[in-house]
Amino acid sequence: MARGKCRQGKAGGMAPAAGMLMEVRRLLGEGAFRASRAQRFCTGAADCCRFRLTGETPHVTLGEAWVAWKAWRASGRTRLELPPDGSCPFLSGQGRCMIYEGRPLACRTHFCVPAGGALPRREVIDLIHALEDIDAALGGDGAARLPEAVERLSRKGPADGRKRRR
């Protein structure tokens, strides 16, 4: 199937199979490994998590949104609220990522300038394509802004968490 095409996946609106989420996590881990090898490291300032301040918002596939949502749920939270200041909904009041192990590829490959800037696309294009393939298999329609993608899962719940066409 061609990349970028939407099709109804086997997930049928239900939570993805464990194997799919394991593959998403593996791809995310590989992204973090490549970033560390390229000497891109988080400075801990969390400026990149203040999307309105930077004008940059990471986009995630449906598989990445599910991993983030599951990390959020694992911490005992059930509802996600979008902060009025435009920052990442997973940023704590102390400026720490509350889903660090479940953060998306863009966050792992340090799209922010203080951390060294994003890895060149050519260095992660295989990971992006694999995540897009999983997105299509899940019935997603391509990457969406992180806050809205995960908030949609929060609002609709696991039984109806697929992204809808706009």
Side-chain angles (χ1 to χ4, degrees):
M1 185 179 90
R3 290 190 206 293
K5 295 283 186 185
C6 179
R7 69 177 167 94
Q8 295 303 314
K10 294 177 183 161
M14 300 299 288
M20 284 185 145
L21 288 180
M22 281 180 34
E23 179 61 8
V24 170
R25 287 183 182 103
R26 186 192 71 74
L27 294 165
L28 296 177
E30 176 62 22
F33 172 74
R34 292 179 191 184
S36 69
R37 200 175 59 203
Q39 309 241 342
R40 302 250 189 335
F41 300 101
C42 182
T43 62
D47 287 345
C48 57
C49 304
R50 293 177 175 87
F51 306 145
R52 197 174 293 152
L53 174 71
T54 64
E56 299 286 334
T57 303
H59 285 67
V60 299
T61 61
L62 187 52
E64 290 173 281
W66 271 107
V67 168
W69 171 242
K70 286 190 160 290
W72 185 250
R73 291 293 308 256
S75 69
R77 295 170 177 91
T78 59
R79 182 92 173 132
L80 184 71
E81 300 294 332
L82 299 180
D85 68 354
S87 62
C88 180
F90 302 119
L91 186 63
S92 75
Q94 294 76 36
R96 308 292 296 168
C97 180
M98 295 186 286
I99 62 156
Y100 190 79
E101 292 301 318
R103 70 197 188 283
L105 184 66
C107 299
R108 291 169 187 256
T109 56
H110 303 291
F111 70 96
C112 68
V113 175
L119 289 178
R121 188 171 170 85
R122 70 181 174 279
E123 293 183 26
V124 292
I125 195 68
D126 59 320
L127 303 177
I128 293 168
H129 286 170
L131 289 167
E132 288 172 342
D133 288 344
I134 293 170
D135 183 78
L138 293 174
D141 59 358
R145 291 167 35 98
L146 170 67
E148 290 84 4
V150 180
E151 194 269 340
R152 196 172 297 129
L153 290 176
S154 168
R155 191 176 58 242
K156 294 181 187 251
D160 190 26
R162 287 183 310 140
K163 289 191 287 183
R164 304 277 186 217
R165 276 221 174 274
R166 293 178 200 134

